[in-house]
Amino acid sequence: MVLHYGADAVYLAGEKFGMRAAAGNFDSEELPKAVKMAHDKHADVHVTVNTIPHEGEVTGLPSYLSFLQECGVDALIVADLGVMALAKKHAPDVDLHVSTQLGVLNSETAKVLYDMGAKRVVLARETSMEEIRKIRRNVPDDLEIEAFVHGAMCVSFSGRCLLSNYLTGRDANRGACAQPCRWKYHLVEEQRPGEYFEITEDGGTHIMNSHDMCMIEHLDDLIDAGITSFKIEGRMKSAYYAAAVTNAYRHALDSVKDGKKPASCWIREMEMISHRPYSTGFYYGDPGQHYEEASYFSDADVCAVVQECDKEGNAILSQRNKFSLGDQVDLLTRDREPYSFIVDHMEDEEGNAIESAPHATMTVRMKLPFCCEPLSLLRKMK
């Protein structure tokens, strides 16, 4: 999806050493296919090898790194100096990108990493816009700088957290975070066991819960500060989320590069996907991270994916969520602004007229307002 909607590169993980152990990561057969698919679409593949490995895990790294090079991956995202050294030895033809997990906040660290072979550093989320400008001025011109522009914010410094390990035994620094910062906490007084008291002053009891980051309206500032690559946090998210966010940022970035402001429709797209309240992170000072409850917001749900479509707009779709005659829906494509229309006719796989599409992945035939490519999305407003 993200390749179709304009990503220049994708980051993903194999079954080992990635910071999202619960994600649908790629096994040894899937990963070479993913690399080929991306390369066929002229996009790069960056594989995360960004956990902090314990001594017993290090022995598995050489063969894994060699395998990644054989697969043709374009870059490794690393967070540990030992892993970095092993990558230079066992995957010398693959670029090295230093993960945000390493916490790069200054030019001296960036220069040391450059001297060690890093082609790119992914800055810590805690870096301000002014600090980025200074880092860019003080590092070699060919050192690339990447920054996060959209996604979840961690309450701990650049993801370095022991809270999950302490409370659940799941090590956040090895990709198994249980996200206890998102939990709702109460106090219990020693003499009153079983009585739970809310921790409230000007917010709720989610005392470590952070806002999400959204920088779609500030891409010009990031470019001017010297950022080479914009990173969207998308693993553990739905295909619709990744597609819609990538599509919006692609159009917004292209507008900024042409000297224009992003169209308002791409700003509105950020409300169409599941998210917590937005902030601009640390780029412009204290982000005011605390968000008083754990719920997400979204103005729309994807209801179908286009499988085929002819020149007249006659399409075959695969259902994702129920939609019906009379629903107002948006058609989301990669080459134009979202287009809103009312569903006035739909058919099942055999061509029989139907009033709704209630069954998961059922085939739906309908005429769309215009011809569009496969992987275009139909979504319904909530």
Side-chain angles (χ1 to χ4, degrees):
M1 278 288 194
V2 296
L3 295 175
H4 178 78
Y5 282 96
D8 298 310
V10 294
Y11 73 104
L12 51 86
E15 294 183 302
K16 305 174 182 178
F17 306 110
M19 282 296 293
R20 293 291 185 272
N25 296 317
F26 293 79
D27 64 26
S28 58
E29 293 184 1
E30 295 168 334
L31 207 150
K33 295 176 183 177
V35 173
K36 184 180 185 306
M37 178 186 294
H39 288 174
D40 287 347
K41 293 183 177 293
H42 310 291
D44 289 344
V45 175
H46 306 162
V47 175
T48 58
V49 192
N50 59 344
T51 58
I52 311 299
H54 287 229
E55 182 63 22
E57 298 171 306
V58 172
T59 55
L61 275 164
S63 60
Y64 181 62
L65 294 167
S66 297
F67 164 72
L68 295 178
Q69 178 168 286
E70 291 169 7
C71 289
V73 304
D74 301 283
L76 305 175
I77 304 175
V78 302
D80 180 88
L81 299 183
V83 175
M84 193 172 182
L86 287 170
K88 289 175 64 178
K89 181 178 180 180
H90 297 283
D93 299 330
V94 184
D95 289 340
L96 287 174
H97 295 179
V98 176
S99 171
T100 189
Q101 296 295 122
L102 199 143
V104 178
L105 280 169
N106 61 73
S107 59
E108 292 303 317
T109 301
K111 286 187 288 187
V112 168
L113 294 167
Y114 174 81
D115 290 341
M116 294 177 65
K119 181 178 181 180
R120 177 181 298 182
V121 293
V122 185
L123 295 178
R125 285 182 175 88
E126 295 77 16
T127 316
S128 71
M129 195 72 70
E130 186 55 35
E131 288 172 325
I132 294 171
R133 296 179 191 279
K134 293 177 181 177
I135 290 170
R136 179 70 276 174
R137 288 197 297 266
N138 292 314
V139 300
D141 292 342
D142 58 339
L143 176 63
E144 299 174 356
I145 300 177
E146 182 170 292
F148 279 89
V149 293
H150 196 94
M153 294 280 288
C154 181
V155 73
S156 296
F157 178 80
S158 294
R160 294 292 188 100
C161 182
L162 294 176
L163 190 61
S164 175
N165 205 341
Y166 178 76
L167 292 176
T168 71
R170 291 169 50 179
D171 193 340
N173 298 311
R174 285 191 286 172
C177 185
Q179 295 198 334
C181 56
R182 307 294 182 188
W183 297 353
K184 185 176 184 179
Y185 290 89
H186 287 70
L187 290 173
V188 176
E189 199 274 326
E190 182 179 11
Q191 300 301 319
R192 287 183 268 183
E195 294 186 39
Y196 299 96
F197 301 92
E198 288 194 354
I199 309 168
T200 57
E201 184 172 332
D202 56 358
T205 64
H206 293 83
I207 56 175
M208 293 178 284
N209 189 39
S210 296
H211 286 69
D212 283 358
M213 178 194 291
C214 179
M215 289 292 289
I216 195 168
E217 297 184 76
H218 306 282
L219 300 182
D220 51 349
D221 280 357
L222 289 165
I223 292 172
D224 184 64
I227 295 300
T228 308
S229 173
F230 298 144
K231 192 162 201 162
I232 294 169
E233 184 240 357
R235 290 188 296 158
M236 305 292 289
K237 301 291 188 181
S238 69
Y240 163 61
Y241 174 100
V245 176
T246 300
N247 194 38
Y249 273 86
R250 175 79 272 166
H251 284 277
L253 178 58
D254 289 345
S255 294
V256 170
K257 289 164 68 176
D258 289 339
K260 306 172 185 176
K261 289 186 175 295
S264 59
C265 68
W266 303 121
I267 310 302
R268 288 198 302 273
E269 279 293 289
M270 299 301 95
E271 303 302 324
M272 302 298 177
I273 51 94
S274 179
H275 66 284
R276 302 177 185 92
Y278 288 126
S279 79
T280 53
F282 290 86
Y283 288 116
Y284 300 105
D286 187 337
Q289 276 184 280
H290 175 246
Y291 166 41
E292 62 192 37
E293 55 178 287
S295 58
Y296 287 80
F297 301 92
S298 174
D299 287 347
D301 282 325
V302 63
C303 53
V305 180
V306 175
Q307 305 293 307
E308 301 176 24
C309 187
D310 65 20
K311 293 182 180 179
E312 284 72 43
N314 298 302
I316 299 175
L317 303 94
S318 177
Q319 187 260 31
R320 292 296 181 269
N321 284 291
K322 181 181 178 181
F323 66 108
S324 307
L325 292 178
D327 284 343
Q328 179 174 331
V329 295
D330 287 342
L331 179 57
L332 184 65
T333 67
R334 67 174 179 172
D335 56 358
R336 63 170 72 193
E337 295 183 1
Y339 186 89
S340 181
F341 68 100
I342 303 296
V343 178
D344 58 9
H345 182 76
M346 53 200 306
E347 300 175 353
D348 64 16
E349 189 171 8
E350 286 75 36
N352 303 308
I354 55 177
E355 294 187 357
S356 68
H359 305 302
T361 70
M362 70 178 287
T363 296
V364 178
R365 297 176 180 270
M366 61 186 295
K367 186 174 177 61
L368 299 176
F370 49 83
C371 174
C372 61
E373 295 178 304
L375 296 183
S376 296
L377 299 171
L378 207 65
R379 69 182 177 205
K380 183 173 70 172
M381 305 301 292
K382 289 184 176 179

